[in-house]
Structures are given as structure tokens and as C-alpha cells.
Amino acid sequence: MSTTRDTSARHVEIPGICFIRQPEGVLRCTLPADHCGEHRHYYSGELHNGARAGTSWPRRPRETQAD
């Protein structure tokens, strides 16, 4: 018996993480799902004093994790 879940290729929701994709990019938001303001990916950008600066982008209307 197979225990593999059947999920839609178009929509898989990641609980607890916003995970909205950057427009015309490959980065995804790493903030909590209910955050306010801009989206942010903390593990990208230039290295500054031993830490990544991160990348941010504005919210778009009606965006979903599957975008």
C-alpha cells in the first residue's frame, strides 16, 4: 500500500511561512505567514559584517504562495 500523498501541482501551501515568490525572480519570502509590510528573503543579498543583508520586495494585490 502506498502512503504517498496526492497533491495538486498548482497549489501547495507551506504553513507558517509566507513563501510568496519575488516578482520575476526565484526568491521566496521567509517571514511568518501573517507578517505586515514588504516581503523579505533573509538568506540572500550581499554579505555585511558576517551576515546577509537580505532582499525585500513590495506586496502585490491578490498574491498567493502558488504564484
Side-chain angles (χ1 to χ4, degrees), residues 18-57:
C18 178
F19 213 61
I20 300 294
R21 187 177 10 194
Q22 180 185 31
E24 300 166 8
V26 297
L27 299 177
R28 294 206 177 250
C29 183
T30 56
L31 293 174
D34 58 351
H35 75 88
C36 297
E38 293 187 329
H39 295 295
R40 187 160 186 84
H41 184 268
Y42 279 103
Y43 310 109
S44 63
E46 296 183 25
L47 195 59
H48 183 70
N49 292 331
R52 295 280 173 197
T55 304
S56 61
W57 60 95

